[in-house]
Amino acid sequence: MIHFICQHSGNVWVSAETVQASVEKVGEIGGRKYDYFDVSEYDRRNAVEANRRWYFDIYEANGEFAADDADKLSEAGEFVGYVALVEREKLE
């Protein structure tokens, strides 16, 4: 199972079978459609338009994690990478 930890809030936001399914769940929460791309920690910290993006840590782990279980997830899961989500309408 793929889990997203939001870098803005530090909480576990969504869990799904794939990264794409997780991105779609974030869109359902915000009522928007997102495209995503892999980023590095350096890219995230130095993004000029960071206010237009949502950044997440991606972990793969079995089980379910509550929003405030980010520490448990980071210990139990395997870190996969970072992803940035950008609203499709802001890409144009």
Side-chain angles (χ1 to χ4, degrees):
M1 185 73 82
I2 298 294
H3 307 274
F4 278 12
I5 297 177
C6 179
Q7 292 188 351
H8 297 284
S9 68
N11 292 331
V12 178
W13 261 42
V14 296
S15 301
E17 291 296 322
T18 65
V19 171
Q20 180 62 43
S22 295
V23 170
E24 290 170 6
K25 281 188 169 186
V26 172
E28 290 170 13
I29 292 168
R32 293 179 163 71
K33 294 188 183 277
Y34 292 97
D35 282 331
Y36 73 94
F37 53 95
D38 296 331
V39 293
S40 70
E41 178 69 7
Y42 178 82
D43 293 335
R44 183 194 73 78
R45 290 183 183 202
N46 293 291
V48 174
E49 297 182 352
N51 62 335
R52 292 184 167 195
R53 299 180 180 154
W54 287 96
Y55 291 91
F56 294 90
D57 297 351
I58 304 171
Y59 283 86
E60 188 169 350
N62 295 324
E64 295 186 19
F65 297 87
D68 60 350
D69 283 346
D71 289 338
K72 290 180 186 176
L73 172 57
S74 63
E75 291 174 10
E78 178 183 343
F79 177 73
V80 176
Y82 302 101
V83 68
L85 277 59
V86 180
E87 290 179 45
R88 288 183 185 165
E89 64 185 39
K90 291 186 178 179
L91 286 173
E92 299 171 355

